[in-house]
Amino acid sequence: MPSILKFLPLALLAACSAAPPEPIAATAQTPAPAAPSVMHADHPTRAYFGDTHVHTGWSVDAGTEGVVTTPEDAFRLARGDQVTSNTGRPVKLKRPLDWMAITDHSDGMGTISEVIARNPEMMADPVVKGWSDALRSGDEHRMHDAAMDLIRKQANDQTPEIMKDAKWMASAWMRTIAIADKYNAPGKFTAFIGYEWTVNANGGNNLHRNIIYRDNADKAKQMLPLTTFQSQDPETLWAWMDEYERKTGGKLLAIPHNGNLSNGRMFEEQRFDGRPLTREYAQTRARWERLYELVQIKGQSESHPRLSPNDAYASWDLWDSGNLVGLPKQEGMLRTEYWREALKSGLRLEGTLGANPFKLGANAATDTHTGLATAEEDNFWGKFRGVEPTPTRWQPVVLGSGPSAKHGSDMVSAGYMGVWATANTREALWDAMQRRETFATTGTRMTLRFFGGFDFSADDVHDLVANGYAKGVPMGGDLDAPPQRGKSPTFLIAAMKDAEGANLDRVSVIKGWVDADGTTHEKVYDVKWSGDRTPDANGVLPAVGDTVDLKTATYKNTIGAPELVVAWTDPDFDPRVRAVYYVRALEIPTPRWTAYDVVRFGSKMPADVRMTLQERGFTSPIWYAPAVASR
């Protein structure tokens, strides 16, 4: 299969690879400017959209592929500026983001520019010198081979010792946090400090976590990020986070990477080293890991048709054949990779451990390795430099090999997270993430509200937000005890279309529960939909229709609804059993990025490449547990 760099001009590759990151004017010693006074609402009235997972050319893998964007470029694009792509073309978001986190890898942080610049200390190691020779050669095959060799060595704990030296990280980390403080503008645009902790266990099982700081540089600079050179065990990360908070008085949270490339390890029901789970482990994991990445460019981890066979909308954007380096999946691995299954397993484990290790809210991000946080289908700049827009970017292998290989056409133009915060500041946004008042989307900016309680009536939808907070709990919360025997919870749900996007098809509630025997179950309830459709005798709601014109990559909002609002009462509630609920909203079909490429470039793609999709969003759950209710 062709390399992801195959179609890029050799001279351009050589020029981009040879340029180390430019130094920045700001330094970590520069005090952050005093934050202007920002008005905070009494309760969240606006959803702020952003991306928690962005890599620039300062990430070792991105830099190895010739990416030259800096954190400054990434923040500038996110706030609405036009920047230059890695292939020399202008890029601008159609709509700015409200906030963003740069999460360059901690492993190898600060090394790639030294490798490219042929630092003498680096060149003393023959492996590193070979990578440098390849990166400076302009030969796309050598560059790609070097990048893959670097990734494999990191995954197998064979990274050359010179690249593990913390002195490279120290300089890069100080510059990274200084840039974040420089672009942070409370009330206008929030630039989070962050990094990605990059565990590729067992030679490629993706167990990455993105670490998001609530803090400014004065706290963040006091400790260097953790790397996997010290340990690959997530418990080591949680201990490092605890040490950071005790030392600095700051606050951190960890967002696990979507688990579809973990080969069953993301939600395995044992500790990393094989020891059994304990109550303390479950409590510690739940303390630090509040959200979970449901969707990004490398596919989705919401659910899978083999796990949810009765859900007609579980089969979408699946990357389910192998791990990060293409090692094939074995039987049973899928069950411990997906969010919905983890939510149900968490209920069961809470019954035996006394704590729920998988109490995870909804997050979505891009995981772009271009510095360009684009999740719009008609303005998608790909995951890697080699798949920025061209007529043939659908062809190359972007991950794995053989039957497990994923091609450019498999990339998913996703995603963003909506945060219900009281203001657009680091503190308010982080606090909302901590309490899980978030929703994930595939890139659309639909908004979703979800409240649960035992005192709601149908009339409460007329002032849904005020009544939601006054009488119940928002997404991410726990239901109180029923006020009387036989009372079932009611949920207030509101979905609003993206102001510049497609109408809505339907809103569904996904419920999971565990019975007295410890068996988990799930059910999908379609609770509100557009048009005059009627479910059939089996309760199946007909499809909404399709207005997409593939000849022009356009669609019409002549079907669907601009908003869907409902008060829904669980008809199957049993106060004796643990349950979890979340909302999924679907848009009507629209053109996929591949369809836009066909029209824009005249690309010729095989018939099995998908040309349409139904964008969607997911709320964080609301949990019910008899133990919680009794308290």
Side-chain angles (χ1 to χ4, degrees):
M1 292 296 179
S3 157
I4 66 171
L5 303 171
K6 184 171 180 58
F7 42 77
L8 297 177
L10 299 184
L12 180 59
L13 284 168
C16 290
S17 297
E22 292 290 333
I24 63 170
T27 69
Q29 286 70 42
T30 303
S37 177
V38 177
M39 295 294 293
H40 286 252
D42 292 335
H43 54 249
T45 58
R46 177 180 168 186
Y48 296 97
F49 286 92
D51 190 345
T52 55
H53 196 171
V54 175
H55 296 274
T56 74
W58 292 14
S59 278
V60 65
D61 52 353
T64 304
E65 294 280 14
V67 171
V68 294
T69 51
T70 69
E72 290 217 47
D73 297 322
F75 280 133
R76 287 182 57 236
L77 179 82
R79 74 178 185 182
D81 297 351
Q82 180 175 291
V83 302
T84 301
S85 82
N86 300 285
T87 49
R89 290 170 287 176
V91 187
K92 186 174 182 178
L93 294 181
K94 293 170 64 180
R95 287 174 285 177
L97 295 176
D98 298 306
W99 57 268
M100 194 175 74
I102 301 292
T103 54
D104 283 320
H105 298 292
S106 58
D107 280 18
M109 182 178 286
T111 62
I112 189 61
S113 61
E114 303 297 331
V115 172
I116 295 171
R118 301 182 75 80
N119 180 293
E121 286 188 76
M122 293 284 187
M123 295 307 98
D125 186 288
V127 172
V128 179
K129 184 179 183 300
W131 292 339
S132 181
D133 292 343
L135 296 176
R136 295 172 62 90
S137 70
D139 184 319
E140 73 272 18
H141 296 293
R142 291 181 64 190
M143 292 175 69
H144 183 62
D145 289 347
M148 294 308 299
D149 186 48
L150 185 151
I151 292 170
R152 282 191 294 270
K153 282 183 166 53
Q154 187 270 348
N156 290 283
D157 195 24
Q158 298 171 351
T159 301
E161 289 301 316
I162 187 60
M163 297 187 71
K164 297 180 181 180
D165 194 320
K167 68 184 178 184
W168 312 116
M169 174 191 285
S171 173
W173 180 239
M174 294 305 170
R175 290 190 295 161
T176 295
I177 61 180
I179 291 172
D181 272 13
K182 174 182 175 180
Y183 282 90
N184 190 50
K188 297 179 180 179
F189 176 79
T190 295
F192 281 107
I193 296 169
Y195 71 89
E196 185 171 25
W197 187 64
T198 314
V199 173
N200 296 317
N202 310 108
N205 295 337
N206 187 313
L207 297 173
H208 305 180
R209 267 81 168 173
N210 287 299
I211 311 306
I212 310 299
Y213 289 67
R214 190 180 187 268
D215 311 315
N216 301 328
D218 60 336
K219 291 184 172 69
K221 70 181 181 181
Q222 293 183 39
M223 285 177 59
L224 292 179
L226 185 71
T227 70
T228 65
F229 305 148
Q230 289 105 312
S231 172
Q232 291 193 336
D233 191 332
E235 292 185 64
T236 304
L237 174 66
W238 305 331
W240 177 91
M241 295 171 73
D242 184 65
E243 181 185 358
Y244 170 88
E245 291 198 352
R246 287 188 289 105
K247 178 178 180 178
T248 69
K251 294 290 184 182
L252 299 172
L253 60 82
I255 303 176
H257 186 292
N258 68 331
N260 60 346
L261 301 180
S262 72
N263 273 11
R265 296 214 60 183
M266 181 56 75
F267 299 119
E268 62 187 350
E269 294 183 21
Q270 61 182 12
R271 295 163 79 172
F272 185 81
D273 59 8
R275 289 180 293 163
L277 298 183
T278 64
R279 178 188 178 94
E280 181 182 13
Y281 171 95
Q283 291 172 328
T284 302
R285 184 166 184 168
R287 173 188 174 187
W288 299 113
E289 299 187 356
R290 311 287 290 178
L291 303 174
Y292 177 63
E293 191 178 81
L294 306 187
V295 60
Q296 56 136 291
I297 297 175
K298 295 198 300 291
Q300 62 95 355
S301 289
E302 185 243 345
S303 193
H304 190 282
R306 289 176 59 183
L307 302 172
S308 302
N310 296 321
D311 183 355
Y313 294 91
S315 181
W316 62 284
D317 289 331
L318 298 172
W319 285 42
D320 58 356
S321 55
N323 70 0
L324 190 64
V325 296
L327 294 176
K329 293 196 188 301
Q330 305 300 318
E331 187 66 30
M333 287 181 174
L334 292 177
R335 189 185 70 80
T336 47
E337 293 185 346
Y338 287 82
W339 182 56
R340 189 187 303 180
E341 202 67 26
L343 293 175
K344 295 186 296 181
S345 296
L347 300 176
R348 172 172 45 77
L349 291 169
E350 185 176 26
T352 58
L353 299 175
N356 184 344
F358 306 142
K359 201 167 184 180
L360 295 159
N363 167 258
T366 60
D367 192 12
T368 178
H369 279 57
T370 63
L372 310 175
T374 60
E376 302 155 327
E377 299 296 327
D378 60 350
N379 189 31
F380 176 51
W381 282 74
K383 181 173 178 60
F384 302 113
R385 180 184 186 277
V387 283
E388 289 187 359
T390 69
T392 55
R393 65 167 167 166
W394 62 272
Q395 287 182 313
V397 172
V398 295
L399 193 72
S401 61
S404 298
K406 292 296 180 182
H407 295 79
S409 58
D410 294 311
M411 291 188 298
V412 182
S413 180
Y416 292 143
M417 179 169 69
V419 180
W420 291 108
T422 56
N424 188 1
T425 65
R426 282 177 176 167
E427 297 79 11
L429 291 165
W430 191 95
D431 290 348
M433 295 182 203
Q434 175 73 6
R435 65 178 182 263
R436 298 181 292 250
E437 202 166 350
T438 63
F439 58 95
T441 84
T442 52
T444 173
R445 300 198 198 183
M446 69 164 66
T447 57
L448 298 174
R449 284 286 202 184
F450 184 40
F451 296 93
F454 289 94
D455 296 322
F456 293 135
S457 69
D459 290 338
D460 286 323
V461 299
H462 299 302
D463 196 354
L464 183 144
V465 174
N467 292 327
Y469 284 109
K471 297 182 179 182
V473 298
M475 60 183 80
D478 293 284
L479 289 174
D480 292 328
Q484 62 191 53
R485 186 180 299 274
K487 186 79 168 178
S488 296
T490 295
F491 298 90
L492 303 183
I493 302 164
M496 181 76 70
K497 73 179 288 291
D498 183 331
E500 299 182 17
N503 282 341
L504 302 174
D505 167 7
R506 70 186 70 196
V507 168
S508 306
V509 173
I510 287 84
K511 177 185 177 182
W513 70 97
V514 58
D515 64 24
D517 296 328
T519 303
T520 59
H521 306 267
E522 68 174 58
K523 187 171 182 179
V524 178
Y525 301 86
D526 291 326
V527 299
K528 188 75 172 181
W529 52 86
S530 62
D532 57 0
R533 293 173 285 167
T534 302
D536 66 17
N538 297 316
V540 177
L541 183 68
V544 68
D546 191 338
T547 66
V548 174
D549 182 351
L550 291 177
K551 293 180 181 179
T552 57
T554 58
Y555 67 95
K556 297 178 181 178
N557 270 331
T558 53
I559 58 174
E563 63 179 2
L564 296 171
V565 181
V566 65
W568 176 78
T569 301
D570 181 0
D572 304 308
F573 179 67
D574 184 338
R576 299 168 297 177
V577 303
R578 293 176 174 83
V580 61
Y581 306 82
Y582 69 90
V583 168
R584 177 181 66 195
L586 299 178
E587 290 183 357
I588 65 172
T590 51
R592 192 170 180 264
W593 70 265
T594 45
Y596 287 109
D597 272 16
V598 169
V599 173
R600 181 183 297 121
F601 298 121
S603 301
K604 305 295 183 182
M605 303 186 196
D608 61 351
V609 173
R610 290 190 303 112
M611 292 292 157
T612 65
L613 80 162
Q614 283 188 263
E615 302 262 23
R616 57 198 69 197
F618 310 88
T619 70
S620 287
I622 292 174
W623 286 266
Y624 171 81
V628 172
S630 67
R631 289 198 296 270

